C-alpha cells in the first residue's frame, strides 16, 4: 500500500503540480476563495470560504453577497468538503481596523456551516481569543480545523475543553522552530493533529515558494518530535483527515 501524505490545507490554484514517488500518495483539501479558483481545482477535494484579509466595508458593499451566494450554491450541491478558510486576521493595524466587518462575514459562514453541517476551516491570526467568544456556536459544527494553528498548547487544550470538535493543523513553522507549534505537535493527542503545507505560502527564509510535496518534510519533523515511525504517523493522520473532513470514502 502506498504511503499516504495528507495535506489538510493547500492552495493548488497557486501551486505547481504536486510531484510524488510512485509508492507515495498525496491527498489534500485545496482552499479556494473565488469562482475561478474553484472551477480550476474543484476536481480535487476542496473548501471554499471568504478570507478575512479581503473583508472591509467596500467588500461588503460590492462582492460579499455574490461570494456568499456562490458558497451556498456549492454547499447545496455538495461540491465542497468544508467552508474556509475563514475567520479573523488582526495581524496588522489595517486588518484589525476591519474587526467588525470580519465578525459579520465570519458569522455568516459559521451559520452556513451549522445549516449544512459541514466542517469549518479557520484562519486565526493574532485572534485566538475570538474563538472562545464563539465556542457555543462552534460546538454546533461537525468539526473545526484550525489551519496553521497559531496558539499555545494551553489554548489548544482549552478549545477542546470548551466542547469544540477541534483539529489542529501544523506546517512549515515546525521547520522554522516556532516553539508554540512544536509544543502542540509534540504533546497534543495524536487524534487531534493534521498536517499541511499551505503551499505556495508559508515559506522559510530564502525560499520563494512552498511546494505541496514538502508535506513530507512536515511529516518527518513530527516523527522526530513524537519519536514515531513515518508509517505510523501516516496512518494516524489519514484517519484524522477523513474524520475532520468527513470523507470516509477515501
Amino acid at each position: 500500500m502506498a504511503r499516504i501524505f495528507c495535506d489538510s490545507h493547500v492552495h493548488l490554484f497557486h501551486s505547481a503540480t504536486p510531484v510524488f514517488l510512485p509508492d507515495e500518495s498525496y491527498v489534500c483539501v485545496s482552499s479556494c476563495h473565488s469562482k475561478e479558483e474553484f472551477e480550476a481545482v474543484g476536481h480535487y477535494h476542496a473548501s471554499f470560504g471568504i478570507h478575512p484579509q479581503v473583508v472591509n466595508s467596500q467588500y461588503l458593499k460590492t462582492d460579499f453577497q455574490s461570494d456568499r451566494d456562490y458558497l451556498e450554491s456549492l454547499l447545496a450541491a455538495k461540491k465542497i468538503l468544508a467552508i474556509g478558510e475563514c475567520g479573523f486576521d488582526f495581524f496588522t493595524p489595517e486588518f484589525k481596523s476591519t474587526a467588525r466587518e470580519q465578525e459579520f462575514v465570519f458569522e455568516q459562514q459559521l451559520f452556513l456551516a451549522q445549516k449544512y453541517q459541514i466542517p469549518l476551516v479557520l484562519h486565526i491570526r493574532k485572534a485566538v481569543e475570538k474563538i472562545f467568544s464563539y465556542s457555543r456556536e462552534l460546538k454546533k459544527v461537525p468539526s473545526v480545523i484550525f489551519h496553521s494553528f497559531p496558539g499555545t498548547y494551553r489554548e489548544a487544550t482549552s478549545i477542546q475543553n470548551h466542547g469544540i470538535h477541534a483539529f489542529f493543523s501544523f506546517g512549515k513553522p515546525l521547520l522554522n522552530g516556532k516553539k508554540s507549534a512544536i509544543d502542540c505537535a509534540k504533546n497534543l493527542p495524536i487524534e487531534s493533529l493534521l498536517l499541511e503545507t499551505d503551499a505556495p505560502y508559508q515559506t522559510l527564509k530564502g525560499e520563494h515558494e512552498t511546494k505541496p510535496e514538502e508535506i513530507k518534510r512536515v511529516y518527518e519533523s513530527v516523527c522526530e518530535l513524537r519519536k514515531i515511525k513515518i508509517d505510523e504517523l501516516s496512518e494516524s493522520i489519514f484517519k484524522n483527515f477523513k474524520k475532520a473532513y468527513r470523507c470516509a470514502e477515501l
Side-chain angles (χ1 to χ4, degrees):
M1 180 179 175
R3 180 179 293 159
I4 299 171
F5 293 100
C6 296
D7 191 341
S8 73
H9 190 87
V10 63
H11 299 267
L12 289 182
F13 181 75
H14 302 287
S15 300
T17 302
V19 178
F20 286 84
L21 297 174
D23 60 345
E24 296 173 337
S25 180
Y26 178 71
V27 179
C28 70
V29 171
S30 183
S31 182
C32 302
H33 297 288
S34 70
K35 184 177 181 179
E36 178 188 16
E37 288 184 34
F38 181 79
E39 290 182 347
V41 301
H43 57 287
Y44 287 88
H45 296 298
S47 64
F48 187 95
I50 301 169
H51 198 290
Q53 289 180 354
V54 307
V55 175
N56 53 40
S57 57
Q58 183 61 30
Y59 173 78
L60 292 181
K61 294 176 183 176
T62 54
D63 298 325
F64 167 69
Q65 193 59 50
S66 61
D67 285 348
R68 187 201 179 282
D69 290 347
Y70 183 65
L71 168 59
E72 186 154 22
S73 74
L74 295 176
L75 291 167
K78 298 182 178 180
K79 289 187 175 181
I80 54 177
L81 289 180
I83 296 174
E85 62 194 280
C86 62
F88 300 95
D89 196 315
F90 299 158
F91 190 70
T92 68
E94 181 183 2
F95 290 151
K96 196 169 185 178
S97 70
T98 64
R100 185 171 297 179
E101 291 90 342
Q102 288 186 41
E103 286 177 0
F104 173 77
V105 172
F106 173 70
E107 288 166 6
Q108 292 285 308
Q109 293 175 94
L110 175 57
F111 167 78
L112 290 174
Q114 294 173 347
K115 177 180 177 180
Y116 288 91
Q117 282 297 288
I118 193 167
L120 197 62
V121 181
L122 296 188
H123 170 110
I124 306 293
R125 202 158 66 142
K126 294 289 185 181
V128 174
E129 71 282 353
K130 295 291 291 183
I131 295 307
F132 298 103
S133 62
Y134 286 99
S135 60
R136 182 176 296 180
E137 295 304 315
L138 287 168
K139 285 165 62 175
K140 301 175 185 177
V141 177
S143 61
V144 180
I145 296 103
F146 287 85
H147 148 56
S148 194
F149 181 63
T152 64
Y153 172 77
R154 184 175 180 178
E155 288 170 329
T157 55
S158 182
I159 287 168
Q160 291 178 318
N161 290 339
H162 275 72
I164 298 169
H165 189 203
F167 291 86
F168 302 95
S169 186
F170 301 95
K172 287 176 72 176
L174 295 175
L175 310 179
N176 202 30
K178 185 176 181 182
K179 291 182 180 179
S180 61
I182 289 170
D183 192 26
C184 286
K186 182 178 180 180
N187 295 306
L188 282 170
I190 199 164
E191 295 81 9
S192 303
L193 293 185
L194 292 171
L195 301 177
E196 65 173 82
T197 60
D198 198 22
Y201 310 112
Q202 290 201 4
T203 54
L204 303 181
K205 186 175 181 180
E207 294 179 344
H208 296 294
E209 68 174 322
T210 292
K211 297 180 179 179
E213 52 264 38
E214 291 181 68
I215 191 66
K216 291 188 284 188
R217 295 175 63 194
V218 178
Y219 270 69
E220 288 164 357
S221 71
V222 175
C223 285
E224 185 175 344
L225 287 172
R226 299 186 75 102
K227 307 302 180 187
I228 60 176
K229 294 183 178 180
I230 196 163
D231 287 334
E232 180 183 349
L233 179 65
S234 175
E235 183 177 349
S236 294
I237 298 299
F238 187 40
K239 288 179 182 177
N240 297 348
F241 184 91
K242 290 190 290 184
K243 187 178 293 185
Y245 284 106
R246 306 178 81 201
C247 50
E249 75 281 359
L250 286 176

